[in-house]
Amino acid sequence: MSVFLYLSIFLAVLSNAMMALALPWLVLQETGSVMVTGTIGALALSAVFAGSILTRKMIAWLGADGLILISYIANIVGILGLLFCFIQPELNIPLLLVFILIDRFFDSAAVIAVDNSLPEFSRLHKIPLSKINGIKEALLNGAAILGAGSAGWMLSIFDPAYVLWGAAVISLLGLICFIPLFNFYRRRKNQQNTTTIFASLKWIWGQPDLRAFLILIIVVMSSIASLDDVLLPAFINSTTQDPADIGWIMVAYGVTAIISAFIYAHCKTTAYDHTLTQIGIIGVAIFFISLVLFDDPFYIIVMTAICGAMSGALFPIIETRFLSDTPKSMRLGMLAALTTVSVAIAPIMVFAHGWIIDMFSVQALSLGTALLILGMLLLKTRKKNAVI
């Protein structure tokens, strides 16, 4: 059964990765404006944010299985709608935003619904939770590789419609792969009986090591919020003007991050999580520093590969810590709180990053981001009872 879980996650993220690269690039080419591209990206993230706030209510109304099913269907309908917009003689921005809303609204809520039952899935199938999260992170990076790489390649050679058609078909395959898991998630109709987002945040803030990870999530997610929507499109548009280079940069991260995440998945102990977290923080900073030092995508690709090797285990560590240390009665509220907080700042940051790039440069934005991330090394992420 775990194979279906991994396949469905991989295909869903693969489709999203293709759209994450294709959509901002197509908007940028149609409008010629970084600000418009950033604004549309911010509105797309706002849809994700709105969905995350309503996660508990949607699971109460629909059940986890119903929410996940609707999410897949909405992705397919949204992508086909976006395809319709881009094949028109003139881009209809309001209609484009409607289909972006349909495509993105259920995304975070569906992810929360899936992740909320991972500890039970782990116990039922006798798979360590850290292993599930490590494999899941590796698959996320693998999907990012294939999605970004294929989308960039297709955009540079074929009609953009092929990318959107491909993303819609892959979403359909992801739905098919998830069908065997519906019975497992159907048994979890009472997941809504949990704390509110505010109460969950208050509890997390009261746990010193989880508080540190919460701050880290906010900083990292806000730093990379504009990566697909503004930062990399603007960087490549000012250098090679080849969207395939965006794909290669994403591939470079994904390849090494997969290896890093898989190694973590097969670790027998989590005693080194604090050290691995600090290595991951430095790795993320290295990527942004490379955008300051180099304007040749080749060197960015090399440095991004180093970033992936260092930070591939970062999010599996964070997710495992939160799922392991949070009581079951608070787990859904905790996941909704983390998603809501990390997504809430993203629209603001995408817009802000677009403004900074327009007013100053990609390099100015990247330098400030790198310094902010390096400041996260001061966080106390070591578990209280850790020996190492």
Side-chain angles (χ1 to χ4, degrees):
M1 195 63 70
S2 59
V3 172
F4 293 108
L5 177 68
Y6 296 144
L7 273 176
S8 60
I9 289 173
F10 177 81
L11 291 170
V13 177
L14 175 61
S15 175
N16 287 337
M18 294 175 69
M19 292 302 298
L21 187 147
L23 182 59
W25 182 263
L26 291 174
V27 172
L28 182 60
Q29 297 309 303
E30 288 282 339
T31 64
S33 170
V34 173
M35 282 297 295
V36 171
T37 303
T39 300
I40 290 176
L43 291 172
L45 290 170
S46 297
V48 178
F49 170 65
S52 68
I53 291 177
L54 296 174
T55 296
R56 295 169 66 251
K57 290 188 178 296
M58 286 193 285
I59 291 180
W61 297 333
L62 305 168
D65 58 326
L67 175 57
I68 295 166
L69 173 63
I70 290 175
S71 175
Y72 276 111
I73 294 173
N75 283 157
I76 296 168
V77 171
I79 293 170
L80 293 178
L82 292 171
L83 173 63
F84 173 79
C85 291
F86 282 113
I87 62 176
Q88 301 306 305
E90 184 176 346
L91 185 62
N92 186 329
I93 297 294
L95 185 60
L96 183 80
L97 293 175
V98 169
F99 285 115
I100 288 175
L101 175 64
I102 294 172
D103 180 40
R104 301 301 301 277
F105 181 76
F106 297 97
D107 283 356
S108 63
V111 170
I112 291 169
V114 171
D115 288 352
N116 186 46
S117 294
L118 287 184
E120 286 75 28
F121 190 91
S122 168
R123 288 192 290 270
L124 179 64
H125 297 282
K126 297 179 172 59
I127 305 171
L129 185 58
S130 60
K131 183 174 183 178
I132 291 177
N133 283 321
I135 292 175
K136 188 178 74 169
E137 183 68 16
L139 291 173
L140 295 181
N141 288 316
I145 290 175
L146 188 56
S150 61
W153 174 71
M154 292 171 73
L155 284 171
S156 65
I157 297 178
F158 300 115
D159 189 294
Y162 285 105
V163 180
L164 304 183
W165 273 117
V169 170
I170 290 168
S171 286
L172 177 60
L173 292 175
L175 171 58
I176 292 171
C177 288
F178 202 88
I179 288 174
L181 296 168
F182 277 128
N183 283 335
F184 172 79
Y185 280 92
R186 189 171 293 121
R187 294 196 298 267
R188 283 156 172 80
K189 293 287 186 180
N190 295 323
Q191 289 177 329
Q192 70 272 16
N193 296 326
T194 186
T195 53
T196 63
I197 290 175
F198 177 78
S200 298
L201 283 174
K202 184 177 179 181
W203 179 82
I204 291 170
W205 198 257
Q207 315 301 310
D209 54 333
L210 294 185
R211 180 172 65 234
F213 276 121
L214 174 62
I215 295 170
L216 179 59
I217 288 173
I218 293 172
V219 170
V220 172
M221 294 304 292
S222 62
S223 298
I224 65 175
S226 72
L227 198 63
D228 298 329
D229 299 289
V230 174
L231 183 57
L232 286 180
F235 176 78
I236 294 301
N237 197 48
S238 65
T239 54
T240 64
Q241 298 185 332
D242 185 354
D245 288 332
I246 302 175
W248 285 117
I249 292 171
M250 302 298 289
V251 166
Y253 174 83
V255 168
T256 53
I258 283 177
I259 298 172
S260 178
F262 263 123
I263 291 174
Y264 176 74
H266 291 86
C267 284
K268 302 299 182 183
T269 177
T270 59
Y272 293 96
D273 280 4
H274 172 71
T275 301
L276 292 174
T277 298
Q278 292 201 309
I279 291 173
I281 291 170
I282 296 172
V284 176
I286 283 175
F287 166 75
F288 287 98
I289 291 171
S290 70
L291 293 176
V292 178
L293 297 178
F294 308 108
D295 56 12
D296 186 336
F298 172 78
Y299 297 108
I300 305 296
I301 290 169
V302 173
M303 298 299 286
T304 304
I306 295 172
C307 166
M310 297 176 68
S311 63
L314 186 58
F315 281 100
I317 290 170
I318 294 172
E319 188 167 359
T320 300
R321 180 71 67 85
F322 272 104
L323 287 173
S324 299
D325 291 4
T326 303
K328 183 179 179 180
S329 61
M330 301 182 66
R331 193 190 304 150
L332 179 58
M334 175 273 294
L335 290 170
L338 292 182
T339 302
T340 300
V341 168
S342 59
V343 172
I345 197 172
I348 300 171
M349 298 310 297
V350 169
F351 185 84
H353 287 183
W355 180 82
I356 292 172
I357 291 172
D358 262 358
M359 293 297 295
F360 301 99
S361 65
V362 169
Q363 289 72 24
L365 172 63
S366 300
L367 178 60
T369 302
L371 293 175
L372 177 63
I373 291 172
L374 288 174
M376 297 302 100
L377 291 171
L378 300 175
L379 293 174
K380 297 179 180 179
T381 58
R382 190 189 304 276
K383 206 165 186 176
K384 289 181 180 179
N385 59 355
V387 177
I388 296 175

